[in-house]
Structure formats: structure tokens, C-alpha cells
Amino acid sequence: MNGSGLTRRGFVAGAVLPALVGPAMAALGPHDFLEPHMHLLGRGPEGPRVALTFDACGGTTDHRILDLLLAEEVAATIFVAGPWLARNRTVFKALLARPDLFEIGNHGLHHHAAIDETARLWGVPTAGSPHGVAEEVEGGARLIEAAGGPRPKWFRGATALYTRSSIHEIEGLGYRLAGFSINGDDGASLPARKVAENYRRAQDGAVLISHINHPEKSAGAGVAEGIRALKARGMRFVRLSQADVQVSLAA
């Protein structure tokens, strides 16, 4: 995910493409970038449910979110990147201690975009080649396993944008590509009020994405408020591997 306040949709539509990627990317058109959209299929016998997913890109941990998840026993899938893991080993061990709540996803070795072309998206470099994509994905998994975690089943790269060829490569490595249906915090750039509004509009089957590594921003307060609102509505929270999902690709 990005943290600039620019939306992905504005980027993919091409409105800000030249300013973001520069002349080195002139050969790559905006529709070469794909964004996986994900929904949960069906409805369980226990009522409506949503999947909360969080990216842990770098920096520290937002305990406004994590402590709420633990206190309220709210399930989530947390995508861990190498830079975050290096600074948050104690928190990571706490996540591993609650496999009933948390599923660990792979967010990449360096938190580089899993795109096999050279660019910078919202300040985030891309892997730049097929070999770079493979190293970003597999290297992230190795870090998680070396820290005591299980081999992750799901991958979501930085910026959550891909080329069709990088998607094929990631899936060929044995990972399921995680998307989302509601962008909760737009890279933690949104104010708390807007984040809470985004959460409140979630309906049965929604997959939400937010960030759990920006305690210095107001977005985390909105995430916590939004989770409480969903729980008050009777929503159940599931990890991605607990549900059948449908993924579609949008440019």
C-alpha cells in the first residue's frame, strides 16, 4: 500500500502516471498494472462475516489496533514485510501465539512492489525483474519461517499492484494472491473519521485492507472505531484461509 494520500485508482487511471513513474516507465502503460479485488463467497450459517487484513510494512506497531484485536478476540490476516519484522520481533511472537486469531501473510522481503518492471510507485521501488519478484516473494517467506512462523499461504506485495506476468510468477511459486474489496485507510493516509466511515460501509463478504504499522497517524483510531462498529452490527471476523474467496483483476 501507499502512504502518500494518492489513491490507486487515480494512478491506474493514468492521471498521475508521468509524475509518479518518470520517463523510465514510458513503455509501460497504466493498464499493465492490475489490482486484485477480493470478496468472500457465500454466507455462513452463523451470519454475515468480513475479513480484516492488515499490512505491516515497516516502522513499529499500532497498538490501538493490535490491542483491540486481542481484547475483543477479532480474527485478522496480517501481512508482514521484512522491514517491519526486523523491528517488531516481540510483537510477531505475540501474533504467532494466537493462531486462533491471526494468520500471517507474506508482504515481501524488502517491501518492494512485486512488479517485474523498473519504477517507483508512491516512493516504493519495484522488484524490477522476474528474478526480483521471486526474491521479494520467497525472501519474505524465508524471513517469516526463520522467525518461527509457518510458511505463508498468501502474498500481497507493496502497493498491491502487479503486472499480469508478475501475478503468474507469484502464483507459480505456490502463493495465493490477496486482494481486497474495501480500502480502509489508503496507506494510513486518511483521517480517522474517513477510515471509520469506510469500515462502516462493509457488508457481508467484504475484505478490508488497512495498516497496523503507523501509530503516529490518526488512521489507526479510525480502524479501531470501525472494528467496534462492525462488531456491534453482529459481523463475524474470519481469516482469509477460513473462507472461500473470489478474486478478480481490475486495471
Side-chain angles (χ1 to χ4, degrees), residues 202-216:
Q203 301 297 319
D204 182 36
V207 178
L208 296 97
I209 181 176
S210 297
H211 289 72
I212 199 167
N213 64 306
H214 283 291
E216 78 284 3

Side-chain angles (χ1 to χ4, degrees), residues 66-205:
L66 179 58
D67 292 355
L68 176 65
L69 297 176
L70 288 166
E72 299 291 334
E73 298 204 325
V74 172
T77 304
I78 300 179
F79 288 84
V80 171
W84 181 88
L85 183 57
R87 295 185 60 183
N88 296 270
R89 290 301 181 98
T90 300
V91 175
F92 185 68
K93 289 184 181 300
L95 297 178
L96 296 181
R98 293 300 306 270
D100 57 319
L101 291 183
F102 303 125
E103 178 176 15
I104 303 300
N106 180 359
H107 200 39
L109 174 62
H110 300 296
H111 193 250
H112 292 173
I115 291 173
D116 49 4
E117 299 282 350
T118 302
R120 292 185 73 88
L121 312 178
W122 302 290
V124 177
T126 61
S129 68
H131 173 77
V133 170
E135 182 59 19
E136 178 70 8
V137 176
E138 291 285 55
R142 288 195 298 268
L143 286 181
I144 290 170
E145 291 181 288
R151 182 168 179 80
K153 301 175 182 177
W154 297 91
F155 176 83
R156 180 161 64 209
T159 77
L161 290 173
Y162 311 87
T163 59
R164 193 169 298 278
S165 54
S166 68
I167 289 173
H168 289 324
E169 181 162 11
I170 293 163
E171 292 178 339
L173 292 170
Y175 296 89
R176 301 185 69 182
L177 197 65
F180 56 92
S181 54
I182 294 178
N183 188 339
D185 66 358
D186 200 12
S189 68
L190 298 180
R193 174 189 56 80
K194 179 59 177 175
V195 175
E197 289 176 2
N198 288 340
Y199 269 69
R200 287 191 183 98
R201 66 185 176 88
Q203 301 297 319
D204 182 36

